């Protein structure tokens, strides 16, 4: 199976082995793209067929680095405190920058600076892209995506309160650029991973934890206590098992167990759940804990930042809230009514029980 071959590719790279591929290369490349792992194909085989994929990843990373430096300079010049998260700093830890593929730049600002940042970005040729998120805005420049985070999690997230004031986890690095502490970034990445797992997030993010443990100042006694408080011990243990199987290295103590189900779930979901997005999206709705709260927030948009992200002009003033509500009602009725009904569909009970059991084993 293609999933097993991709796992073999990762094992080969981290255990310094070479592979020869005899199967359908087109199918293998398609699968590697879905997992954002194409550069590994070239590095473990040195097959010229894969060289262009590797170079493409390398050049894309260079473009992201250039734009990120430009963004930092822009924010420094305008006295905007900011820091980067996820792949925007993790790429530096990898042996080869081409390996840590990413789809955007993730930069965090304080919400009080949001209006100033929005104006600044538009003035510097960043194109706003409408999104459903309540804690970040999307912009495009030079065909690259930038996410401006004014929060790290949605208000309904289990992790919202912990990261309400996320700058407390950072230290000033230079000018107005801050750096998130290594331990706290590790824990945040685990929370972020857990958040996306119900929709599907592929196997690539497992490798982030390996590099954070190997290349940063991680204190696992601190990490384990934080994870215990967040009830993420099962998930973290699965990740540590996965790292050991892929790299043959134990980065810290863990309980060894069979995690075939974990690999199966990660490899079948794709990096953004793209293998079967419809089914995964349905799964997320089926197991949503507070269905009434979710439906209420989707319709009434009580979060001001989310109103402003969806309605940049009308969302600035509460006076226009009735107009927003009218439009929102018609929009949901024409675009999302099936999803909202699906929340309360009693026929999904058996599927819900099955998913909840799987998610419990995964640790989410």
């Amino acid at each position: 199976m293609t999933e097993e071959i991709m796992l073999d590719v990762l094992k080969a790279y981290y255990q310094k082995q070479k592979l020869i591929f005899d199967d359908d290369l087109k199918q293998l490349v398609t699968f590697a793209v879905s997992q954002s792992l194409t550069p590994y194909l070239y590095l473990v085989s040195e097959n010229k067929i894969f060289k262009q994929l590797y170079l493409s990843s390398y050049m894309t990373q260079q473009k992201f680095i250039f734009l990120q430096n430009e963004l930092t300079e822009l924010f420094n010049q305008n006295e905007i405190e900011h820091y980067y998260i996820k792949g925007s700093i993790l790429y530096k830890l990898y042996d080869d920058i081409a390996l840590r593929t990413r789809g955007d730049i993730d930069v965090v600002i304080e919400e009080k600076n949001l209006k100033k940042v929005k104006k600044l970005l538009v003035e510097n040729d960043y194109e706003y892209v409408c999104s459903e998120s309540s804690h970040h805005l999307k912009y495009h420049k030079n065909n690259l995506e930038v996410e401006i985070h004014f929060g790290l999690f949605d208000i309904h997230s289990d992790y919202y309160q912990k990261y309400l004031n996320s700058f407390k986890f950072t230290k000033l690095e230079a000018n107005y650029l801050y750096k998130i502490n290594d331990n706290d970034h590790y824990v945040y990445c685990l929370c972020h991973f857990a958040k996306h797992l119900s929709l599907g997030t592929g196997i690539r993010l497992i490798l982030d934890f390996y590099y954070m443990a190997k290349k940063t100042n991680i204190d696992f006694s601190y990490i384990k206590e934080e994870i215990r408080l967040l009830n993420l011990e099962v998930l973290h243990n699965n990740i540590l098992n996965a790292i050991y199987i892929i790299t043959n290295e134990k980065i810290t103590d863990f309980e060894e167990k069979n995690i075939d189900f974990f690999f199966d779930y990660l490899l079948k979901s794709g990096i953004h759940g793209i293998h079967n997005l419809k089914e995964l999206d349905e799964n997320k709705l089926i197991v949503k804990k507070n269905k009434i709260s979710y439906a209420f927030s989707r319709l009434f948009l009580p979060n001001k930042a989310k109103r402003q992200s969806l309605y940049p002009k009308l969302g600035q003033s509460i006076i226009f809230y009735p107009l927003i509500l009218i439009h929102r009602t018609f929009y949901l009725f024409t675009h999302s009514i099936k999803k909202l009904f699906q929340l309360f569909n009693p026929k999904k009970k058996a599927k819900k029980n099955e998913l909840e059991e799987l998610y419990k084993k995964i640790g989410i």
Side-chain angles (χ1 to χ4, degrees):
M1 290 178 63
T2 311
E3 291 95 334
E4 294 173 352
I5 295 173
M6 201 67 241
L7 187 55
D8 287 339
V9 168
L10 293 177
K11 290 179 181 178
Y13 177 80
Y14 288 100
Q15 298 180 35
K16 303 187 186 313
Q17 301 168 358
K18 293 294 181 181
L19 293 178
I20 297 175
F21 299 109
D22 298 322
D23 294 327
D24 183 355
L25 295 185
K26 184 177 179 180
Q27 185 179 2
L28 179 60
V29 169
T30 300
F31 187 82
V33 168
S34 77
Q35 290 283 338
S36 292
L37 294 173
T38 52
Y40 286 91
L41 297 177
Y42 176 65
L43 294 176
V44 301
S45 69
E46 297 181 356
N47 189 324
K48 292 181 180 179
I49 294 174
F50 302 131
K51 188 173 183 179
Q52 190 57 45
L53 294 170
Y54 168 82
L55 292 174
S56 176
S57 180
Y58 184 87
M59 292 306 297
T60 300
Q61 186 61 258
Q62 292 286 12
K63 291 176 182 178
F64 271 121
I65 292 170
F66 181 85
L67 185 59
Q68 188 169 324
N69 290 338
E70 177 190 285
L71 194 61
T72 291
E73 185 177 351
L74 183 64
F75 283 1
N76 282 340
Q77 288 174 350
N78 291 272
E79 302 180 353
I80 296 169
E81 296 173 326
H82 63 288
Y83 69 94
Y84 294 96
I85 53 174
K86 299 185 290 187
S88 297
I89 54 176
L90 293 177
Y91 77 90
K92 298 177 183 178
L93 306 179
Y94 279 64
D95 306 319
D96 185 327
I97 64 169
L99 292 179
R100 186 40 170 98
T101 54
R102 50 175 165 157
D104 55 31
I105 294 171
D106 291 287
V107 59
V108 185
I109 63 168
E110 292 188 279
E111 189 168 357
K112 66 181 182 182
N113 291 323
L114 186 57
K115 188 174 182 180
K116 181 179 178 181
V117 167
K118 289 163 69 175
K119 183 174 183 294
L120 185 63
L121 292 176
V122 171
E123 290 173 348
N124 285 272
D125 302 320
Y126 287 78
E127 179 187 358
Y128 172 72
V129 181
C130 185
S131 72
E132 283 280 328
S133 175
S134 63
H135 59 282
H136 64 72
L137 301 179
K138 290 185 179 181
Y139 288 84
H140 284 173
K141 186 172 184 180
N142 302 330
N143 295 318
L144 300 176
E145 186 170 291
V146 177
E147 284 195 356
I148 307 294
H149 291 256
F150 47 91
L152 294 187
F153 290 99
D154 184 274
I155 193 171
H156 299 293
S157 169
D158 294 336
Y159 316 116
Y160 172 78
Q161 202 62 41
K162 177 177 177 61
Y163 293 99
L164 188 58
N165 175 23
S166 65
F167 271 81
K168 70 182 179 182
F169 299 114
T170 68
K171 292 182 180 179
L172 183 63
E173 190 169 66
N175 297 315
Y176 291 87
L177 173 63
Y178 286 70
K179 182 182 183 298
I180 187 167
N181 302 325
D182 293 336
N183 288 320
D184 295 304
H185 191 230
Y186 187 103
V187 175
Y188 161 71
C189 286
L190 183 63
C191 294
H192 177 261
F193 187 51
K195 166 195 164 186
H196 283 287
L197 268 176
S198 62
L199 183 59
T201 190
I203 199 170
R204 185 198 67 186
L205 297 184
I206 293 290
L207 304 171
D208 286 348
F209 297 99
Y210 170 72
Y211 283 106
M212 282 188 279
K214 294 280 287 185
K215 301 285 187 71
T216 66
N217 299 315
I218 293 296
D219 176 359
F220 273 107
S221 60
Y222 173 83
I223 295 290
K224 288 176 181 177
E225 177 59 19
E226 288 292 297
I227 288 172
R228 185 187 67 80
L229 294 173
L230 291 164
N231 197 28
L232 289 173
E233 293 167 293
V234 173
L235 174 59
H236 191 233
N237 194 70
N238 287 334
I239 290 171
L240 295 176
N241 270 280
I243 289 172
Y244 177 57
I245 291 169
I246 291 171
T247 68
N248 202 31
E249 293 183 53
K250 293 186 176 182
I251 60 175
T252 188
D253 296 332
F254 63 92
E255 177 191 350
E256 293 188 42
K257 64 178 184 178
N258 186 314
I259 58 161
D260 289 345
F261 71 93
F262 191 51
F263 278 128
D264 183 63
Y265 182 82
L266 294 175
L267 289 166
K268 284 184 176 177
S269 66
I271 195 66
H272 296 298
I274 59 177
H275 278 189
N276 194 339
L277 183 59
K278 184 176 183 295
E279 180 183 350
L280 288 163
D281 194 38
E282 289 175 355
N283 291 351
K284 189 177 181 182
L285 285 169
I286 291 168
V287 298
K288 192 165 286 295
K289 293 178 181 178
N290 194 330
K291 298 178 174 62
I292 294 176
S293 175
Y294 172 75
F296 179 88
S297 65
R298 288 273 287 164
L299 174 59
F300 293 101
L301 298 177
N303 184 280
K304 182 180 178 181
K306 186 163 187 174
R307 288 201 302 272
Q308 290 179 345
S309 69
L310 293 174
Y311 302 91
K313 293 183 178 179
L314 296 179
Q316 297 295 327
S317 174
I318 194 65
I319 295 174
F320 298 110
Y321 181 67
L323 291 176
I324 292 175
L325 189 56
I326 292 171
H327 177 271
R328 190 69 181 162
T329 302
F330 278 105
Y331 175 84
L332 291 176
F333 185 79
T334 56
H335 290 76
S336 302
I337 193 69
K338 287 184 179 180
K339 285 185 178 181
L340 293 175
F341 274 125
Q342 195 174 34
L343 285 171
F344 305 98
N345 188 344
K347 294 180 181 181
K348 301 292 183 179
K349 185 174 181 180
K351 183 71 177 290
K352 177 182 177 181
N353 292 338
E354 178 185 335
L355 285 168
E356 286 183 336
E357 186 62 32
L358 174 61
Y359 290 167
K360 183 179 179 180
K361 287 173 63 180
I362 290 172
I364 56 175

